[in-house]
Every structure is written in C-alpha cells, then in structure tokens.
Amino acid sequence: MAVGAHPVGRALEHQLRPIADDLTGHLIEDGGHIIPLHCLDALLALLRPFLSGHRPAPGAALSVTEGTLTA
C-alpha cells in the first residue's frame, strides 16, 4: 500500500507501481507531509482494513475534516 498526501500526492504510488506485483494507492486529501503526524485518523482508517485483509477501494481519495474521514 502506498499512501500519499500534500505535497507529495501520488508520487510514491507512481514510483512503486512498475516494481510492485500488487499495489494499492491512496491519497489523503488535506493531509500534511508527515502523514502519521498530520492525519493519523485517516492513516489508521486505511491501515486497519489493509492489515486485516479487507482493502479499501484502490485509488480512493480521502479527506479528513474535523477528525472525520470521508471518501
């Protein structure tokens, strides 16, 4: 899984796509450069299902507004 936010966006996903057999990319809208610091709730919302085997829809753009994650 590749997770991006502002200012990097989907750069990590684009870099890993050619060498990854199975890659899911996500963009956290309104996030900061250090994702765990600036948008921990959004990151956890992606990690929990991913690690449990239930992947969020690929390419989903997520937004964190006042602690609420929206797709």
Side-chain angles (χ1 to χ4, degrees):
M1 179 168 56
V3 180
H6 179 75
V8 178
R10 294 193 179 274
L12 178 60
E13 178 184 358
H14 294 301
Q15 291 172 350
L16 294 175
R17 179 103 19 229
I19 59 171
D21 292 331
D22 184 12
L23 179 67
T24 302
H26 296 282
L27 178 64
I28 300 176
E29 303 275 340
D30 307 322
H33 182 71
I34 305 171
I35 295 172
L37 179 62
H38 297 134
C39 38
L40 181 59
D41 292 338
L43 179 60
L44 291 175
L46 292 170
L47 283 176
R48 285 185 183 118
F50 180 82
L51 294 174
S52 70
H54 300 98
R55 296 182 183 185
L62 305 174
S63 179
V64 178
T65 306
E66 296 179 17
T68 303
L69 179 66
T70 56

